[in-house]
């Protein structure tokens, strides 16, 4: 009977599920499904995974050791995607790697459907993270904290964290992922951290500083002044800047 492992849609949750599935069913058939997105199947036994950081770290070390760092990053990014079947794709990719003489070459085998899917999901997350590095707009709140809100499809916060930590090492800043209700928080001269399960104080987040209000007006004015109405091309603009990214961009508010 097929064993299906149920976990949370987090890196720790999925890696814990992969760890259990690999330990118990590495040579057999297994499924990994996300809480809240379960698709019932016949002739399956469902098991809720006990999620721990130790399992997650062990699974990640195993992938780095046996599949290599390039494959590890593809797996990591794939796990951050919004695809409900990502866990099973990674598990079957790991099974496929066992059949190779050199398992570190697994990501070269794109003829395999599961390897191709992991690669595709990895590229999708990487591309979305790259876009947010360019499109994120911070606003200064009354306390001097730089704050931004985003609505990504994938869980990109950890993918963009080092970029903004390098850009603003002496600032207190915060990025709120509305889609996944997670915070990326950075304190001055400290390392960033990810926070789950906390609610956004919308009132505090709306209290911008007086200086910020002036700069918002200046930025919107600049945006309007450089636009040439006779040369506007909405279709081309949509290609380079999809509308879903504009909801949190100052110049479009």
């Amino acid at each position: 009977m097929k064993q299906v492992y149920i976990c949370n849609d987090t890196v720790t949750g999925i890696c814990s599920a992969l760890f259990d599935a690999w330990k118990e069913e590495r040579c057999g058939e297994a499924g990994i499904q996300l809480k809240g997105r379960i698709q019932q199947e016949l002739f399956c036994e469902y098991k809720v995974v006990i999620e721990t950081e130790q399992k997650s770290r062990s699974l990640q070390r195993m992938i780095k050791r046996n599949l290599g760092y390039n494959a590890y990053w593809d797996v990591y990014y794939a796990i951050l995607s919004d695809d409900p079947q990502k866990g099973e794709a990674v598990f079957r990719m790991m099974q496929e790697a066992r059949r190779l003489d050199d398992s570190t070459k697994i990501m070269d085998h794109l003829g395999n459907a599961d390897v191709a899917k992991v690669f595709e999901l990895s590229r999708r997350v990487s591309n979305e993270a790259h876009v947010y590095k360019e499109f994120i707009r911070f606003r200064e709140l009354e306390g001097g904290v730089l704050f931004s809100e985003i609505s990504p499809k994938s869980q990109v916060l950890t993918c963009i964290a080092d970029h903004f930590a390098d850009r603003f090492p002496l600032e207190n800043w915060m990025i709120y992922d509305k889609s996944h209700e997670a915070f990326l928080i950075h304190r001055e001269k400290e390392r960033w951290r990810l926070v789950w399960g906390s609610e956004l104080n919308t009132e505090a987040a709306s209290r911008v500083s007086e200086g910020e209000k002036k700069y918002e007006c200046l930025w919107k004015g600049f945006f309007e002044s450089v636009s040439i109405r006779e040369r506007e091309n909405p279709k081309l603009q949509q290609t380079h800047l999809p509308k879903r990214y504009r909801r949190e961009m100052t110049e479009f508010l």
Side-chain angles (χ1 to χ4, degrees), residues 67-75 104 107:
L67 306 187
Y69 276 81
N70 289 336
Y72 165 75
W73 284 114
D74 279 324
V75 168
T104 62
M107 297 312 298

Side-chain angles (χ1 to χ4, degrees), residues 50-66:
I50 298 175
E51 302 171 8
T52 68
E53 286 292 339
Q54 182 178 357
K55 287 182 181 179
S56 178
R57 287 194 294 267
S58 296
L59 187 281
Q60 292 179 52
R61 284 196 300 268
M62 183 183 72
I63 291 176
K64 291 175 183 177
R65 182 174 62 251
N66 295 295

Side-chain angles (χ1 to χ4, degrees), residues 107-123:
M107 297 312 298
D108 294 338
H109 290 253
L110 295 178
N112 179 277
D114 297 302
V115 175
K117 182 165 186 173
V118 170
F119 181 83
E120 176 194 353
L121 295 179
S122 173
R123 296 288 81 78

